Amino acid sequence: MRAADIASDLTDVLVTEEQIHTRLDEVAAQVAADYDGKDLVLVGVLKGAVMVMADFARALPTLVPMDWMAVSSYGASTKSSGVVQIRKDLDTDLHGKHVLIVEDIIDSGLTLSWLLENFASRGAASIEVFALLRKPEAAKVVIDCKYVGFDIPNDFVVGYGLDYAEKYRNLRDVAVLAPHVYS
């Protein structure tokens, strides 16, 4: 589904599917160079990072294992609560591995800050972050994000894995959700 198919639910398209794929190719080339010869594992954060992780992993020119963790701090709200709940833990032992967390979006940074501490306590050799989207104006904590796809305004966005109440994840573009949808 494209933004034009649900234009009445959206106010603005911020990033198109084509722009996303171009940027994923660029970041994948940089990650491949940075981790050449290292034991890298990609960790996706469910559910939002599914689209990013799938397309990013396919853009990488090397074989790399993937694992998933499900955490939540949103529920059905448009703002993070800051309280992290683990809904699915990793299957992979991170000890001695170079971890690249693949995120759909960094909003407040609270959930990601918690993940970084959690993964460090598991003995990872290194931990870096790739976020497709980042909202600098929404940050409540400073996150060192080595790889960023796009900086976007502090609006509530959907698409390319991002949802509102489990809808809009399959939108191919990233767009601002119209307030009348969630008010």
Side-chain angles (χ1 to χ4, degrees):
M1 172 178 30
R2 297 305 296 254
D5 299 326
I6 56 167
S8 64
D9 286 3
L10 309 171
T11 62
D12 192 24
V13 175
L14 298 179
V15 188
T16 67
E17 179 183 29
E18 295 77 16
Q19 291 170 314
I20 291 168
H21 284 280
T22 297
R23 187 67 182 127
L24 288 176
D25 288 342
E26 294 167 355
V27 173
Q30 185 62 53
V31 166
D34 291 350
Y35 289 93
D36 186 35
K38 294 183 179 174
D39 192 8
L40 175 66
V41 63
L42 302 179
V43 174
V45 182
L46 293 170
K47 297 178 186 171
V50 168
M51 308 300 185
V52 179
M53 177 78 109
D55 289 342
F56 176 67
R58 286 191 294 247
L60 285 169
T62 58
L63 298 174
V64 62
M66 295 183 279
D67 202 349
W68 299 92
M69 188 164 193
V71 295
S72 178
S73 65
Y74 279 80
S77 175
T78 61
K79 300 281 186 204
S80 174
S81 68
V83 177
V84 178
Q85 299 174 329
I86 296 177
R87 299 199 174 172
K88 183 225 175 278
D89 206 348
L90 298 172
D91 297 321
T92 304
D93 178 3
L94 299 182
H95 187 78
K97 296 190 182 342
H98 297 276
V99 176
L100 181 60
I101 299 172
V102 178
E103 269 280 30
D104 51 355
I105 191 167
I106 299 176
D107 199 325
S108 69
L110 295 171
T111 301
L112 191 52
S113 176
W114 182 88
L115 278 174
L116 289 165
E117 288 180 26
N118 182 282
F119 290 178
S121 74
R122 298 179 191 211
S126 70
I127 308 164
E128 296 292 349
V129 177
F130 166 43
L132 179 66
L133 305 168
R134 178 176 61 182
K135 293 181 181 179
E137 295 172 22
K140 292 184 179 175
V141 294
V142 176
I143 298 291
D144 181 22
C145 186
K146 186 168 184 176
Y147 310 99
V148 177
F150 305 92
D151 281 332
I152 62 170
N154 192 17
D155 295 315
F156 190 74
V157 296
V158 294
Y160 203 73
L162 296 157
D163 76 302
Y164 171 66
E166 295 300 324
K167 296 179 185 171
Y168 303 97
R169 288 190 197 278
N170 62 322
L171 177 62
R172 293 176 175 268
D173 312 295
V174 174
V176 178
L177 190 62
H180 73 82
V181 175
Y182 58 87
S183 302

